[in-house]
């Protein structure tokens, strides 16, 4: 017999019963509302309640939970108030996302619940970051990340388990194996006997439990927590069954009828009701009926309030503001130059390193993660010496991974630990695209607090490194309103923008041009200073035409300006510095003065960053233009490895031709 049942009291058994009954009764009401077309969609957890409720009952109140869309019982068992919960499920203004996201796509940090996104397994690396935060803070807490059998085929599942194993994190990965993903049976999903068997390959603990037995789940989770708290991650597979479709519209026609009948007999709610009747034969029925009435009354009152609650009101300005960037008290303060400061000569790479070092010295919570960043110092040696200065807890080598690493950084940020993620080459950032676009960028708009995550990405051509080590992918992210994208082009900016990025409360993508690391030198302040990451800079005054550019383009533009000065033309050069947000007032001011503009970028022409700048110039400065804006971009082809081919590919090879055409207009 399960040890929990040996001396269980009527009070405790009733409490456990109501823990799985409450989400069941709520779901039944929601299905009724769905049939009335009062909610748009529902993902049912009927038949799986014992897993959610049993997990919460077995954990400590401050353990961290990362649920999925069949885990209503996590919220109810953690005593989340029903009114805002119902408002969330109904899409009302008083819900946790105010109608901005669907049913279970939300988190409640004060309840230690961190919500899902639709992309399966994406929150599992986040659990690593949350668990690492507990380890760094010496807290007796574990993170529990839920997923279904379908999600175990995703790459983030592998990356999360592997990182947790390597770092010995206090985390439980709980698989709700209900047999079908959406409609694909498990025999077509994996070849091992049980999903928990995979644990051995990662060097972690594997366990399998009957997910329809509340007390078995509680016992298994309790044991898993003891193991995870000792630094051994656990892969816990709860074998269960969902009695309804993946979502209501999909139905269950693909499931054999005899299977549904078999599992109906294992209904966790029915199971515990029988237990109550067996334990208390004279009053069992009364206990059950009383619980149903009490919960029904409670649901009814709060659901009526939620149904009468206001729908979200559309406020365009508020929506744009809330989808954008957080502000801090320091934000908006421009760098104050100190005329008496000591100026010393530095290379771009030295200034970048000094900015990072200073931020790490000032904030002992900062963590850096990436491939080969510790003893090796990174492939470009930017982080050389960091391990010796700050120790292995803060300077953390990782397995080869991008998505899982960025997800872990999000988890750290949710626990107020800022981090720097180094992407070895900017080209590899595509492997973390989902985490950046759907987690980092959308976090503030949905429910998340500030996410202080800085992603460093060495980018750019010029070294003959070919199509996978030379790209300029910064424009890929410009349409994502919750991101800051900065591209330092000078030694001073390398130092100050790196420093300021680590202080910023927002996700920052910091693109560093590889060809500037050791080729660019300047005299700059010994110490990094705060700089406004949203401001463009006029690098050269002029009256005849404007070149708007950023990054390596700045140096091409300044060289061209010197050349054209000898021909009697004065070119103004604007360094955007930031691609998101764009400092369009600075651009517009220059264009209105000169009347002509060249938009210079290293990225390919189609959908490059300057396509957006050009469209905004045409919209806001058309009456001031004396000629059409012209763009100078690299070719719309992959970057060739041959130096000869690369030189004809890159935008700088066409700059003078473009300028001549502009002046001939």
């Amino acid at each position: 017999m399960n040890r929990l049942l040996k001396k269980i009291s009527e009070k405790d058994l009733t409490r456990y019963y109501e823990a799985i009954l409450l989400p069941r009764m709520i779901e039944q009401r929601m299905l009724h509302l769905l049939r009335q077309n009062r909610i748009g969609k529902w993902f049912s957890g009927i038949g799986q309640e014992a897993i959610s409720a049993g997990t919460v009952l077995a954990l400590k109140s401050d353990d961290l939970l990362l649920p999925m869309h069949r885990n209503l019982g996590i919220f109810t068992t953690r005593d989340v108030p029903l009114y805002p919960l119902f408002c969330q499920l109904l899409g009302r203004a008083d819900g946790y996302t105010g109608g901005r996201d669907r049913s279970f796509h939300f988190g409640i940090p004060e309840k230690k619940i961190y919500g899902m996104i639709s992309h399966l397994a994406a929150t599992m690396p986040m659990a690593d970051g949350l668990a690492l935060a507990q380890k760094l803070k010496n807290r007796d807490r574990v993170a529990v990340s839920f997923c279904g059998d379908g999600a175990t085929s995703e790459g983030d599942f592998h990356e999360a388990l592997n990182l947790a194993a390597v770092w010995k994190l206090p985390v439980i990965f709980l698989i709700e194996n209900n047999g079908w993903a959406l409609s694909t049976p498990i025999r077509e999903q994996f070849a091992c006997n049980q999903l928990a068997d995979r644990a051995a390959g990662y060097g972690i603990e594997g366990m399998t439990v009957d997910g329809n037995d509340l007390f078995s789940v509680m016992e298994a989770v309790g044991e898993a927590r003891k193991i995870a708290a000792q630094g051994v991650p656990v892969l816990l597979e709860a074998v269960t069954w969902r009695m309804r479709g993946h979502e209501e519209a999909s139905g269950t026609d693909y499931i054999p009828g005899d299977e549904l009948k078999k599992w109906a007999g294992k209904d966790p709610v029915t199971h515990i009701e029988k237990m109550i009747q067996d334990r208390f034969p004279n009053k069992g029925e009364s206990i059950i009926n009383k619980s149903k009435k009490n919960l029904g009354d409670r649901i009814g009152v709060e659901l009526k309030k939620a149904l009468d609650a206001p729908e979200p009101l559309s406020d365009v300005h508020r929506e744009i503001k809330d989808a954008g960037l957080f502000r801090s008290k320091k934000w908006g303060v421009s760098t104050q130059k100190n005329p008496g400061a000591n100026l010393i000569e530095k290379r771009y790479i030295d200034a970048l390193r000094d900015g990072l070092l200073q931020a790490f010295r000032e904030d002992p919570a900062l963590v850096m993660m990436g491939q080969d960043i510790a003893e090796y110092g990174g492939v470009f040696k930017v982080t050389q010496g960091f391990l010796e200065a700050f120790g292995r807890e803060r300077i953390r080598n990782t397995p080869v991974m991008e998505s899982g690493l960025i997800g872990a950084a999000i988890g750290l940020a949710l626990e107020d630990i800022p981090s720097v993620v180094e992407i070895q080459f900017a080209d590899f950032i595509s492997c973390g695209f989902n985490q950046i676009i759907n987690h980092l960028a959308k976090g503030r708009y949905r429910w998340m607090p500030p996410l202080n995550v800085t992603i460093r990405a060495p980018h750019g051509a010029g070294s003959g490194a070919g199509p996978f080590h030379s790209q300029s992918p910064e424009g890929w992210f410009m349409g994502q309103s919750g991101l800051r994208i900065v591209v330092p082009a000078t030694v001073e900016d390398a130092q100050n923008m790196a420093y300021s990025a680590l202080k910023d409360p927002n996700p920052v993508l910091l693109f560093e041009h590889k060809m500037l690391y050791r080729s660019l030198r300047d005299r700059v302040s010994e110490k990094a200073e705060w700089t406004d990451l949203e401001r463009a800079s006029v690098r050269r005054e002029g009256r005849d035409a404007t070149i708007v550019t950023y990054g390596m383009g700045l140096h091409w533009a300044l060289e061209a300006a010197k050349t054209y000065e000898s021909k009697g033309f004065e070119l103004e050069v604007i360094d955007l510095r930031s691609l998101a947000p764009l400092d369009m007032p600075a651009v517009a001011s220059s264009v209105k003065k000169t009347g002509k503009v060249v938009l210079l970028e290293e990225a390919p022409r189609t959908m490059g960053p300057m396509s957006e700048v050009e469209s905004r110039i045409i919209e806001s400065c058309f009456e001031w233009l004396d000629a059409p804006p012209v763009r100078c971009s690299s070719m719309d082809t992959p970057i060739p490895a041959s130096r000869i081919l690369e030189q004809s590919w890159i935008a700088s090879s066409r700059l003078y031709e473009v300028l001549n055409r502009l002046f001939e207009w």
Side-chain angles (χ1 to χ4, degrees), residues 108-133:
I108 314 174
E110 60 270 26
K111 290 285 188 180
K112 299 302 177 186
I113 298 174
Y114 303 91
M116 62 174 288
I117 64 173
S118 290
H119 301 66
L120 298 182
T123 53
M124 299 182 77
M126 197 165 84
D128 285 345
L130 290 166
L132 176 59

Side-chain angles (χ1 to χ4, degrees), residues 559-578:
E559 183 180 345
K562 288 182 181 178
T563 300
Y564 277 83
E565 185 179 28
S566 65
K567 301 179 181 181
F569 295 100
E570 293 183 7
L571 291 172
E572 183 150 294
V573 178
I574 304 293
D575 176 10
L576 289 173
R577 301 173 74 242
S578 168

